[in-house]
Amino acid sequence: MKPFPKKLLLAAFILPINFHPASAAGLNYTCEIDGIYYQIRDGNNGAWVTNNGMENTYSGDIVIPDEITFEGKIYDVKSFDPEAFAGCTQLTSITLPTSLKHLSLPSFYDCSNLTEINFQCSEYIELIDNDAFNGSAWYENQPEGILYLGDICLGYKGEK
């Protein structure tokens, strides 16, 4: 019997400690809960909404919870990946969590049927990028002028 190659043996010991099968497959998420994909960010004790890394398949009415439980630990849902919902043409409404701190661009780009966004501003919010909803039906249906999401001013829509 041939001896076990040393190089291969060494490679087996350098795998990341927080190894997740989804990461090994090149996917962009740590876990999936109730059809929503999340990245766990232990450093800030939070979870980010993401997609499955292959295609954006979110559709219908989506409600993002304020927190999730993964491997016995509770994480606040604090942010979305920049392209978490981009291209989800069958997404019709979304309820954003009150735990939301950041919403980057272009999270909802090309969500051509997204007509309803439910969000109650909270003390946690730090940033919602003014381009986060560009290309969505909700954005296109807003009148020109100063654009608001609830109490948050997103920016100006139209010609300046």
Side-chain angles (χ1 to χ4, degrees), residues 5-147:
K6 289 181 183 177
K7 288 182 183 177
L8 186 56
L9 182 63
L10 178 60
F13 290 108
I14 60 172
L15 287 174
I17 293 173
N18 290 328
F19 177 76
H20 293 285
S23 299
L27 303 179
N28 198 28
Y29 65 93
T30 307
C31 62
E32 181 215 357
I33 300 172
D34 296 330
I36 301 171
Y37 298 92
Y38 300 92
Q39 287 181 349
I40 301 300
R41 307 254 171 126
D42 282 320
N44 67 6
N45 202 30
W48 287 38
V49 176
T50 189
N51 56 49
N52 66 9
M54 295 183 288
E55 61 182 299
N56 285 0
T57 57
Y58 295 112
S59 64
D61 303 325
I62 301 285
V63 176
I64 307 295
D66 289 341
E67 60 185 30
I68 61 166
T69 302
F70 176 67
E71 294 182 346
K73 190 171 179 183
I74 296 173
Y75 296 91
D76 289 336
V77 178
K78 295 182 177 183
S79 189
F80 290 15
D81 257 356
E83 296 181 3
F85 292 92
C88 292
T89 58
Q90 299 306 308
L91 181 66
T92 54
S93 76
I94 188 154
T95 300
L96 302 174
T98 58
S99 59
L100 185 68
K101 288 181 78 169
H102 300 101
L103 189 57
S104 302
L105 55 84
S107 294
F108 296 94
Y109 181 75
D110 201 24
C111 291
S112 55
N113 288 306
L114 177 63
T115 57
E116 184 179 350
I117 301 168
N118 301 302
F119 179 66
Q120 294 180 350
C121 187
S122 73
E123 70 271 13
Y124 300 110
I125 195 71
E126 293 175 5
L127 171 73
I128 294 183
D129 195 290
N130 61 344
D131 292 329
F133 299 99
N134 281 7
S136 70
W138 176 85
Y139 181 85
E140 299 304 324
N141 289 329
Q142 299 303 307
E144 288 194 1
I146 297 174
L147 183 61

